[in-house]
Structure formats: structure tokens, C-alpha cells
Amino acid sequence: MKTNSGAKKRFTLTGTGKIKRKHAYKSHILTKKETKRKRNLTYSGLVHKTDEKNIKLLLGLK
């Protein structure tokens, strides 16, 4: 099965099997957003467990 190239660019797998992701809303129109909000968007987050199964399918994992 082919991997989804869009998902391949957006998600990475951690050593424990969780899926890392980046936050949205950090690319443009940043002048109206507060500094605290922009700073918190720079850190990566984890994919919710209800979405993990679908993303693992896109990545070609089990």
C-alpha cells in the first residue's frame, strides 16, 4: 500500500508509537495574533488517539 505523501510530510512517529504533529495558524496573518499565542503554536503536539488509526493507515503502518 502506498503512503499518503501529504501525511508523510506532516506527521512523524515517536519512539513510543505516538504521532507528532505541528499546530496550524502559524504561517501568515501573524500581526493580529498575540505573542503568547504564536509562541505556543511553535511547539509540536500529539495527534489525538481517536485520529491515530486513520493517520497510521495514511502513513502505511498497521
Side-chain angles (χ1 to χ4, degrees), residues 14-56:
T14 63
T16 55
K18 296 175 183 172
I19 303 171
K20 263 190 349 185
R21 66 175 179 87
K22 290 195 174 182
H23 285 100
Y25 307 110
K26 187 68 185 1
S27 57
H28 60 96
I29 316 175
L30 298 172
T31 52
K32 64 172 78 170
K33 295 170 187 158
E34 291 187 7
T35 312
K36 181 180 178 182
R37 180 177 166 193
K38 289 188 282 189
R39 184 173 61 245
N40 289 332
L41 289 173
T42 59
Y43 306 121
S44 60
L46 293 174
V47 170
H48 197 267
K49 66 176 186 177
T50 55
D51 299 321
E52 275 186 8
K53 185 180 177 185
N54 290 329
I55 292 169
K56 283 185 178 181

